[in-house]
PDB file of all heavy atoms in Angstrom:
ATOM      1  N   ASN C 136      -5.241  12.645  12.432  1.00  0.00           N
ATOM      2  CA  ASN C 136      -6.112  13.432  13.300  1.00  0.00           C
ATOM      3  C   ASN C 136      -6.781  12.552  14.359  1.00  0.00           C
ATOM      4  O   ASN C 136      -7.811  12.925  14.920  1.00  0.00           O
ATOM      5  CB  ASN C 136      -7.190  14.131  12.462  1.00  0.00           C
ATOM      6  CG  ASN C 136      -6.592  15.009  11.387  1.00  0.00           C
ATOM      7  OD1 ASN C 136      -5.734  15.846  11.678  1.00  0.00           O
ATOM      8  ND2 ASN C 136      -7.015  14.831  10.152  1.00  0.00           N
ATOM      9  N   LEU C 137      -6.195  11.412  14.636  1.00  0.00           N
ATOM     10  CA  LEU C 137      -6.773  10.456  15.575  1.00  0.00           C
ATOM     11  C   LEU C 137      -6.905  11.065  16.973  1.00  0.00           C
ATOM     12  O   LEU C 137      -5.978  11.687  17.482  1.00  0.00           O
ATOM     13  CB  LEU C 137      -5.876   9.212  15.638  1.00  0.00           C
ATOM     14  CG  LEU C 137      -6.346   8.083  16.545  1.00  0.00           C
ATOM     15  CD1 LEU C 137      -7.546   7.380  15.928  1.00  0.00           C
ATOM     16  CD2 LEU C 137      -5.204   7.095  16.775  1.00  0.00           C
ATOM     17  N   VAL C 138      -8.080  10.861  17.568  1.00  0.00           N
ATOM     18  CA  VAL C 138      -8.306  11.276  18.948  1.00  0.00           C
ATOM     19  C   VAL C 138      -8.895  10.102  19.722  1.00  0.00           C
ATOM     20  O   VAL C 138      -9.370   9.120  19.135  1.00  0.00           O
ATOM     21  CB  VAL C 138      -9.256  12.499  19.030  1.00  0.00           C
ATOM     22  CG1 VAL C 138      -8.635  13.704  18.367  1.00  0.00           C
ATOM     23  CG2 VAL C 138     -10.613  12.181  18.401  1.00  0.00           C
ATOM     24  N   TRP C 139      -8.902  10.226  21.045  1.00  0.00           N
ATOM     25  CA  TRP C 139      -9.361   9.131  21.888  1.00  0.00           C
ATOM     26  C   TRP C 139     -10.797   8.750  21.579  1.00  0.00           C
ATOM     27  O   TRP C 139     -11.159   7.567  21.599  1.00  0.00           O
ATOM     28  CB  TRP C 139      -9.219   9.514  23.364  1.00  0.00           C
ATOM     29  CG  TRP C 139      -9.613   8.404  24.295  1.00  0.00           C
ATOM     30  CD1 TRP C 139      -8.825   7.376  24.728  1.00  0.00           C
ATOM     31  CD2 TRP C 139     -10.894   8.205  24.900  1.00  0.00           C
ATOM     32  NE1 TRP C 139      -9.533   6.547  25.560  1.00  0.00           N
ATOM     33  CE2 TRP C 139     -10.810   7.029  25.687  1.00  0.00           C
ATOM     34  CE3 TRP C 139     -12.100   8.893  24.855  1.00  0.00           C
ATOM     35  CZ2 TRP C 139     -11.887   6.547  26.425  1.00  0.00           C
ATOM     36  CZ3 TRP C 139     -13.177   8.415  25.580  1.00  0.00           C
ATOM     37  CH2 TRP C 139     -13.061   7.247  26.353  1.00  0.00           C
ATOM     38  N   ASP C 140     -11.641   9.726  21.246  1.00  0.00           N
ATOM     39  CA  ASP C 140     -13.042   9.418  20.982  1.00  0.00           C
ATOM     40  C   ASP C 140     -13.208   8.519  19.761  1.00  0.00           C
ATOM     41  O   ASP C 140     -14.160   7.735  19.693  1.00  0.00           O
ATOM     42  CB  ASP C 140     -13.852  10.707  20.795  1.00  0.00           C
ATOM     43  CG  ASP C 140     -15.348  10.445  20.809  1.00  0.00           C
ATOM     44  OD1 ASP C 140     -15.845   9.934  21.822  1.00  0.00           O
ATOM     45  OD2 ASP C 140     -16.009  10.721  19.781  1.00  0.00           O
ATOM     46  N   ASP C 141     -12.308   8.620  18.782  1.00  0.00           N
ATOM     47  CA  ASP C 141     -12.348   7.698  17.640  1.00  0.00           C
ATOM     48  C   ASP C 141     -12.181   6.263  18.124  1.00  0.00           C
ATOM     49  O   ASP C 141     -12.904   5.356  17.698  1.00  0.00           O
ATOM     50  CB  ASP C 141     -11.237   8.032  16.641  1.00  0.00           C
ATOM     51  CG  ASP C 141     -11.414   9.373  15.976  1.00  0.00           C
ATOM     52  OD1 ASP C 141     -12.565   9.773  15.738  1.00  0.00           O
ATOM     53  OD2 ASP C 141     -10.387  10.016  15.681  1.00  0.00           O
ATOM     54  N   LEU C 142     -11.201   6.057  18.985  1.00  0.00           N
ATOM     55  CA  LEU C 142     -10.961   4.718  19.523  1.00  0.00           C
ATOM     56  C   LEU C 142     -12.124   4.250  20.391  1.00  0.00           C
ATOM     57  O   LEU C 142     -12.493   3.067  20.364  1.00  0.00           O
ATOM     58  CB  LEU C 142      -9.662   4.710  20.327  1.00  0.00           C
ATOM     59  CG  LEU C 142      -8.381   5.047  19.547  1.00  0.00           C
ATOM     60  CD1 LEU C 142      -7.199   5.105  20.500  1.00  0.00           C
ATOM     61  CD2 LEU C 142      -8.132   4.042  18.446  1.00  0.00           C
ATOM     62  N   ARG C 143     -12.701   5.160  21.142  1.00  0.00           N
ATOM     63  CA  ARG C 143     -13.848   4.814  21.992  1.00  0.00           C
ATOM     64  C   ARG C 143     -15.011   4.296  21.152  1.00  0.00           C
ATOM     65  O   ARG C 143     -15.567   3.211  21.422  1.00  0.00           O
ATOM     66  CB  ARG C 143     -14.294   6.039  22.794  1.00  0.00           C
ATOM     67  CG  ARG C 143     -15.521   5.785  23.687  1.00  0.00           C
ATOM     68  CD  ARG C 143     -16.068   7.087  24.266  1.00  0.00           C
ATOM     69  NE  ARG C 143     -16.684   7.920  23.250  1.00  0.00           N
ATOM     70  CZ  ARG C 143     -17.949   7.769  22.808  1.00  0.00           C
ATOM     71  NH1 ARG C 143     -18.720   6.801  23.302  1.00  0.00           N
ATOM     72  NH2 ARG C 143     -18.434   8.580  21.884  1.00  0.00           N
ATOM     73  N   ARG C 144     -15.392   5.063  20.131  1.00  0.00           N
ATOM     74  CA  ARG C 144     -16.544   4.689  19.320  1.00  0.00           C
ATOM     75  C   ARG C 144     -16.280   3.401  18.535  1.00  0.00           C
ATOM     76  O   ARG C 144     -17.151   2.530  18.426  1.00  0.00           O
ATOM     77  CB  ARG C 144     -16.917   5.836  18.378  1.00  0.00           C
ATOM     78  CG  ARG C 144     -17.486   7.049  19.116  1.00  0.00           C
ATOM     79  CD  ARG C 144     -17.899   8.179  18.198  1.00  0.00           C
ATOM     80  NE  ARG C 144     -16.773   8.721  17.462  1.00  0.00           N
ATOM     81  CZ  ARG C 144     -16.591   8.555  16.151  1.00  0.00           C
ATOM     82  NH1 ARG C 144     -17.458   7.859  15.428  1.00  0.00           N
ATOM     83  NH2 ARG C 144     -15.535   9.084  15.558  1.00  0.00           N
ATOM     84  N   ALA C 145     -15.073   3.275  18.003  1.00  0.00           N
ATOM     85  CA  ALA C 145     -14.742   2.060  17.259  1.00  0.00           C
ATOM     86  C   ALA C 145     -14.738   0.836  18.167  1.00  0.00           C
ATOM     87  O   ALA C 145     -15.222  -0.236  17.791  1.00  0.00           O
ATOM     88  CB  ALA C 145     -13.382   2.218  16.583  1.00  0.00           C
ATOM     89  N   THR C 146     -14.206   0.989  19.364  1.00  0.00           N
ATOM     90  CA  THR C 146     -14.171  -0.122  20.317  1.00  0.00           C
ATOM     91  C   THR C 146     -15.587  -0.571  20.671  1.00  0.00           C
ATOM     92  O   THR C 146     -15.875  -1.780  20.726  1.00  0.00           O
ATOM     93  CB  THR C 146     -13.414   0.302  21.588  1.00  0.00           C
ATOM     94  OG1 THR C 146     -12.053   0.586  21.241  1.00  0.00           O
ATOM     95  CG2 THR C 146     -13.438  -0.801  22.628  1.00  0.00           C
ATOM     96  N   LEU C 147     -16.475   0.372  20.895  1.00  0.00           N
ATOM     97  CA  LEU C 147     -17.861   0.031  21.234  1.00  0.00           C
ATOM     98  C   LEU C 147     -18.551  -0.694  20.072  1.00  0.00           C
ATOM     99  O   LEU C 147     -19.263  -1.678  20.275  1.00  0.00           O
ATOM    100  CB  LEU C 147     -18.645   1.293  21.603  1.00  0.00           C
ATOM    101  CG  LEU C 147     -18.262   1.949  22.936  1.00  0.00           C
ATOM    102  CD1 LEU C 147     -18.975   3.293  23.096  1.00  0.00           C
ATOM    103  CD2 LEU C 147     -18.586   1.024  24.100  1.00  0.00           C
ATOM    104  N   ALA C 148     -18.342  -0.205  18.856  1.00  0.00           N
ATOM    105  CA  ALA C 148     -18.985  -0.828  17.690  1.00  0.00           C
ATOM    106  C   ALA C 148     -18.455  -2.238  17.454  1.00  0.00           C
ATOM    107  O   ALA C 148     -19.229  -3.174  17.202  1.00  0.00           O
ATOM    108  CB  ALA C 148     -18.771   0.037  16.453  1.00  0.00           C
ATOM    109  N   ILE C 149     -17.142  -2.410  17.537  1.00  0.00           N
ATOM    110  CA  ILE C 149     -16.549  -3.736  17.343  1.00  0.00           C
ATOM    111  C   ILE C 149     -17.011  -4.683  18.450  1.00  0.00           C
ATOM    112  O   ILE C 149     -17.354  -5.842  18.208  1.00  0.00           O
ATOM    113  CB  ILE C 149     -15.012  -3.634  17.300  1.00  0.00           C
ATOM    114  CG1 ILE C 149     -14.565  -2.827  16.078  1.00  0.00           C
ATOM    115  CG2 ILE C 149     -14.374  -5.031  17.270  1.00  0.00           C
ATOM    116  CD1 ILE C 149     -13.114  -2.400  16.124  1.00  0.00           C
ATOM    117  N   GLY C 150     -17.050  -4.169  19.665  1.00  0.00           N
ATOM    118  CA  GLY C 150     -17.501  -4.982  20.784  1.00  0.00           C
ATOM    119  C   GLY C 150     -18.950  -5.429  20.652  1.00  0.00           C
ATOM    120  O   GLY C 150     -19.330  -6.487  21.159  1.00  0.00           O
ATOM    121  N   ALA C 151     -19.746  -4.626  19.932  1.00  0.00           N
ATOM    122  CA  ALA C 151     -21.154  -4.968  19.726  1.00  0.00           C
ATOM    123  C   ALA C 151     -21.355  -5.890  18.527  1.00  0.00           C
ATOM    124  O   ALA C 151     -22.490  -6.261  18.217  1.00  0.00           O
ATOM    125  CB  ALA C 151     -21.972  -3.695  19.546  1.00  0.00           C
ATOM    126  N   GLY C 152     -20.265  -6.244  17.839  1.00  0.00           N
ATOM    127  CA  GLY C 152     -20.364  -7.211  16.756  1.00  0.00           C
ATOM    128  C   GLY C 152     -20.158  -6.677  15.365  1.00  0.00           C
ATOM    129  O   GLY C 152     -20.297  -7.417  14.388  1.00  0.00           O
ATOM    130  N   ALA C 153     -19.813  -5.390  15.219  1.00  0.00           N
ATOM    131  CA  ALA C 153     -19.576  -4.842  13.884  1.00  0.00           C
ATOM    132  C   ALA C 153     -18.372  -5.526  13.238  1.00  0.00           C
ATOM    133  O   ALA C 153     -17.411  -5.900  13.918  1.00  0.00           O
ATOM    134  CB  ALA C 153     -19.335  -3.334  13.956  1.00  0.00           C
TER     135      ALA C 153
END
Side-chain angles (χ1 to χ4, degrees):
N136 303 308
L137 182 72
V138 296
W139 183 85
D140 192 60
D141 294 326
L142 298 176
R143 178 190 70 83
R144 291 182 297 109
T146 296
L147 290 172
I149 295 166

